Amino acid sequence: MKRLSAILLCLLAVTVSGLAKSAPKKSAAPPAPDKAYLQNIWNGWSTLDPANVANFYASGPHAFFDIAPLKYGSWEEYEKGAKAVLSAYKSAKFTVNDDFAIHPHGDLVWATATIKEEMTSKTGKIEMGNFRWTVVFENQDGKWMIVHEHVSVALQ
């Protein structure tokens, strides 16, 4: 009986040990995005090539609202649509204004800011102004990825 109890105890210990090793470890959230991180996103957009910001956006079905057109249902749609819109420009500069606010909430962070824009079209027209930006990040494998974004301008 003692021998059977010892064997069962060993089997239980091995089983529990195996379960503990196979349980997925949740990685700790990295530090929340800061103004520099937000500006890096807009520096990428300043190149007028969406491929230069793709590493900030989560793939798959996510809603992204832009100034034009109204809505994209995934990063892949957003990248294609933005490329078409941006093809009318020869230069751009975007600056995150000092009114930015960052709100961490576990594996999610939402941020707001106004963005100063200076864009020059291929015809030479210079466009300047400010627009609103709301963005939601999700911690995916230790990196903050954009899973929702809303860009808009105030009605004049």
Side-chain angles (χ1 to χ4, degrees), residues 45 48 50 66 69 72 77-87:
W45 280 113
L48 301 174
D66 204 346
Y72 297 104
E77 281 182 24
Y78 194 4
E79 183 175 29
K80 182 180 177 184
K83 192 170 195 166
V85 171
L86 295 173
S87 69

Side-chain angles (χ1 to χ4, degrees), residues 3 10 22 37 55 57-59 64 83 85-86 100 105 110 119 121 125 127-128 132 137 143 156:
R3 184 181 231 173
C10 287
S22 65
Y37 191 79
N55 61 319
Y57 289 81
S59 61
F64 301 107
K83 192 170 195 166
V85 171
L86 295 173
F100 73 95
H105 188 71
W110 61 278
M119 298 180 75
S121 72
K125 181 182 176 193
E127 300 173 12
M128 297 176 72
R132 299 174 287 227
F137 297 92
K143 183 169 180 359
Q156 298 300 321

Side-chain angles (χ1 to χ4, degrees), residues 34-36 38-39 42 93-102 112-118 129-133:
D34 56 11
K35 186 178 183 185
L38 301 179
Q39 186 60 56
W42 286 102
K93 180 179 180 184
F94 301 106
T95 305
V96 176
N97 292 319
D98 288 335
D99 63 352
F100 73 95
I102 297 169
T112 59
T114 57
I115 308 297
K116 178 181 175 185
E117 67 144 326
E118 299 173 32
N130 285 282
F131 56 83
R132 299 174 287 227
W133 184 44

Side-chain angles (χ1 to χ4, degrees), residues 4-156:
L4 182 60
S5 293
I7 292 171
L8 289 175
L9 185 59
C10 287
L11 286 174
L12 179 64
V14 169
T15 302
V16 170
S17 170
L19 288 175
K21 288 180 185 176
S22 65
K25 292 183 181 178
K26 184 169 171 92
S27 63
D34 56 11
K35 186 178 183 185
Y37 191 79
L38 301 179
Q39 186 60 56
N40 282 339
I41 295 165
W42 286 102
N43 290 344
W45 280 113
S46 293
T47 68
L48 301 174
D49 184 356
N52 292 328
V53 293
N55 61 319
F56 292 105
Y57 289 81
S59 61
H62 299 287
F64 301 107
F65 297 107
D66 204 346
I67 294 168
L70 180 64
K71 176 184 174 184
Y72 297 104
S74 68
W75 166 248
E76 294 74 18
E77 281 182 24
Y78 194 4
E79 183 175 29
K80 182 180 177 184
K83 192 170 195 166
V85 171
L86 295 173
S87 69
Y89 294 89
K90 64 180 178 180
S91 68
K93 180 179 180 184
F94 301 106
T95 305
V96 176
N97 292 319
D98 288 335
D99 63 352
F100 73 95
I102 297 169
H103 309 277
H105 188 71
D107 277 340
L108 295 174
V109 170
W110 61 278
T112 59
T114 57
I115 308 297
K116 178 181 175 185
E117 67 144 326
E118 299 173 32
M119 298 180 75
T120 305
S121 72
K122 288 186 176 174
T123 63
K125 181 182 176 193
I126 297 173
E127 300 173 12
M128 297 176 72
N130 285 282
F131 56 83
R132 299 174 287 227
W133 184 44
T134 301
V135 61
V136 178
F137 297 92
E138 181 180 51
N139 175 19
Q140 294 185 358
D141 297 322
K143 183 169 180 359
W144 292 110
M145 301 298 290
I146 298 172
V147 295
H148 177 73
E149 179 176 69
H150 188 125
V151 178
S152 62
V153 293
L155 292 174
Q156 298 300 321

